[in-house]
Amino acid sequence: MSGAQTEQKGFYGNFGGSFVPPELQEALNYIEEQFNKYKDDKEFNDEFKYYLKEYVGRENPLTFARNLTAKLGGAKIYLKREDLNHMGAHKVNNVLGQILLAKRMGAKRVIAETGAGQHGVATAMGCAMFNMECVIYMGVEDTKRQALNVFRMEMLGAKVIAVSNGQGRLKEAVDEALNDLIANYKNTFYLLGSAVGPHPYPAMVKHFQSIISEESKRQILEKEGRLPDAVVACVGGGSNAIGAFAHYIDEPSVRLIGVEPDQAATISEGVPAVIHGFKTLTLLDEEGNPRPTFSIAAGLDYPGVGPEHSYLHEIGRAEYYKVSNDEVLDAFQLLCKTEGIIPALESTHAVAYAIKLAPQMKPDDIIIVNLSGRGDKDVQHVYNLLEERSK
Ligand SMILES: *Cc1c(COP(=O)(O)O)cnc(C)c1O
């Protein structure tokens, strides 16, 4: 598999790296050492593949969206069905990989932070499965807004710690989780949910999520006998997108397209800065602090992005575009009606861009859209948004 990583210490061009205090660097060095030890280990990878098959239900299909393609009249659209995974999204791939690593490292505890709760729920699920103690840090404000996800985590056996420092949001939850890691890293593993953070996390998350493009490449070669012309994925922190791109990065004929919400357009509008211990494109306010973002899709609401995306953007290997909430709402309804598939609002950003792109391409061109998750969780929200729009 290809990698854009250009130096040992996790730099992707000018982006990435590790900008953390020495105590935390010690913990990260230990994780890096263990990851490097196991990532190419046959037994470890066999175990990972076993659980991807038996627990997650992989491989998932690459579905030809026949009706949507006919309606748009252009390139053929294929959907990579991460929505059909156990728990309904791609996050489980990374959670399983990191928990298996934690187990090999002899960790007894897994900690994570969560904003909207999706990553916390996925982590709690994995910990239940592997009988690990699980502690989830969550801003107190987020625990109020996402009470149902707090309950889900608790049902799965996790302890949810509501962090009331500062503004009681994701940033404070990250700080608390990092303090826990510094104090306990010999028996505790910090499970990060996207391709962000200091080295080695972006490389590690990409490694586990690259199963998406490993499968889609094999599947499109079987179905069409050739590579796609474009791969389209939504970008929050960037984990489903980097996994969907990974095996095509070294195939210059394949356009790689990341799609962001227009009110959280980190790559399209960001500037280089260090946030949460790594350098990347970031949305900053006038004082140089991370700017509050907004997205109708909770999973895309993050002011930074994984460093490899910043790099792929800088060298022009991948393209990044914005879509509006209206385009997302239209795409959501169109995919439901034409294909009988309810997409996650996050994933719908990729669908919305593909809907604009396909008619500009030829009928024998091929687009793969990474459908990162299913939308059952979003139906009430979409109902409210459509009500509001019709006023
Ligand atoms: C969390 C989530 C995302 C955003 O995270 P990435 O790391 O950018 O992939 C996208 N889609 C779904 C369904 C999610 O749950």
Side-chain angles (χ1 to χ4, degrees):
M1 189 188 66
S2 67
Q5 202 164 334
T6 51
E7 287 171 40
Q8 275 104 354
K9 266 304 167 194
F11 276 91
Y12 303 85
N14 290 318
F15 300 105
S18 178
F19 299 83
V20 300
E23 318 86 83
L24 183 55
Q25 191 57 52
E26 204 173 309
L28 293 171
N29 290 346
Y30 180 57
I31 296 169
E32 180 188 11
E33 176 198 309
Q34 297 289 310
F35 172 60
N36 285 333
K37 179 169 159 194
Y38 288 112
K39 74 177 186 332
D40 300 315
D41 180 85
K42 176 155 188 328
E43 215 178 287
F44 178 80
N45 283 306
D46 285 349
E47 193 182 15
F48 182 46
K49 293 271 163 95
Y50 172 86
Y51 286 106
L52 287 179
K53 176 167 186 281
E54 300 295 333
Y55 191 62
V56 180
R58 303 197 77 99
E59 73 178 36
N60 58 43
L62 181 69
T63 306
F64 176 44
R66 186 181 313 275
N67 302 325
L68 182 64
T69 296
K71 180 151 186 117
L72 296 172
K76 287 186 190 174
I77 297 176
Y78 280 88
L79 304 171
K80 182 59 178 154
R81 303 293 305 278
E82 296 301 306
D83 62 311
L84 294 179
N85 295 343
H86 175 51
M87 306 293 284
H90 69 292
K91 286 195 172 70
V92 66
N93 305 324
N94 171 54
V95 163
L96 264 185
Q98 288 194 46
I99 288 192
L100 289 173
L101 180 64
K103 238 179 41 148
R104 294 282 166 134
M105 289 168 62
K108 301 276 175 283
R109 275 175 93 230
V110 169
I111 60 173
E113 89 294 331
T114 196
Q118 294 157 313
H119 173 58
V121 172
T123 302
M125 170 277 304
C127 288
M129 167 77 173
F130 289 100
N131 196 20
M132 295 273 230
E133 187 186 337
C134 181
V135 175
I136 306 291
Y137 290 94
M138 193 167 180
V140 67
E141 291 307 317
D142 292 328
T143 61
K144 289 181 203 156
R145 294 193 301 186
Q146 302 288 343
L148 199 57
N149 276 340
V150 173
F151 182 60
R152 280 197 183 96
M153 289 182 253
E154 288 171 349
M155 275 206 303
L156 290 161
K159 182 170 166 201
V160 179
I161 297 184
V163 178
S164 54
N165 309 344
Q167 301 190 308
R169 299 291 308 277
L170 181 63
K171 183 188 172 302
E172 288 81 15
V174 174
D175 291 340
E176 283 303 298
L178 289 174
N179 286 337
D180 185 324
L181 179 68
I182 291 168
N184 300 305
Y185 76 89
K186 287 289 177 195
N187 75 353
T188 295
F189 189 90
Y190 184 5
L191 207 164
L192 227 157
S194 190
V196 297
H199 183 62
Y201 281 100
M204 188 155 66
V205 174
K206 177 189 184 185
H207 179 78
F208 294 127
Q209 290 294 2
S210 66
I211 185 68
I212 300 172
S213 50
E214 184 185 317
E215 287 180 5
S216 77
K217 194 175 192 179
R218 186 169 66 230
Q219 290 168 315
I220 201 68
L221 288 173
E222 270 167 25
K223 286 173 198 289
E224 294 279 354
R226 67 180 190 88
L227 294 174
D229 299 281
V231 177
V232 185
C234 67
V235 178
S239 73
N240 89 88
I242 206 70
F245 294 173
H247 286 268
Y248 300 104
I249 291 175
D250 285 343
E251 306 279 5
S253 69
V254 182
R255 288 175 66 186
L256 305 176
I257 299 175
V259 187
E260 305 183 295
D262 62 1
Q263 289 165 285
T266 314
I267 302 183
S268 311
E269 295 169 8
V271 294
V274 172
I275 55 159
H276 300 159
F278 68 108
K279 193 168 180 196
T280 193
L281 293 172
T282 315
L283 296 170
L284 299 177
D285 64 18
E286 281 110 60
E287 269 123 64
N289 298 313
R291 195 206 303 166
T293 50
F294 173 75
S295 171
I296 55 173
L300 303 184
D301 203 349
Y302 180 62
V305 66
E308 193 169 354
H309 287 293
S310 297
Y311 176 68
L312 292 172
H313 171 71
E314 190 179 65
I315 63 170
R317 176 63 192 95
E319 310 156 53
Y320 296 85
Y321 301 104
K322 305 181 280 187
V323 292
S324 70
N325 291 347
D326 272 335
E327 289 170 328
V328 170
L329 283 175
D330 292 342
F332 184 93
Q333 296 175 89
L334 186 60
L335 193 69
C336 287
K337 293 212 168 82
T338 54
E339 298 294 334
I341 295 171
I342 303 178
L345 273 175
E346 289 86 356
S347 327
T348 310
H349 287 67
V351 178
Y353 190 77
I355 287 171
K356 294 202 278 191
L357 181 63
Q360 304 166 24
M361 293 170 71
K362 296 192 297 289
D364 51 359
D365 286 342
I366 299 167
I367 302 174
I368 292 179
V369 176
N370 195 42
L371 208 65
S372 55
R374 67 172 174 241
D376 306 54
K377 68 183 176 62
D378 295 320
V379 170
Q380 175 75 53
H381 189 35
V382 169
Y383 176 86
N384 296 342
L385 290 165
L386 288 174
E387 284 281 290
E388 224 168 274
R389 188 163 81 167
S390 70
K391 271 179 204 153

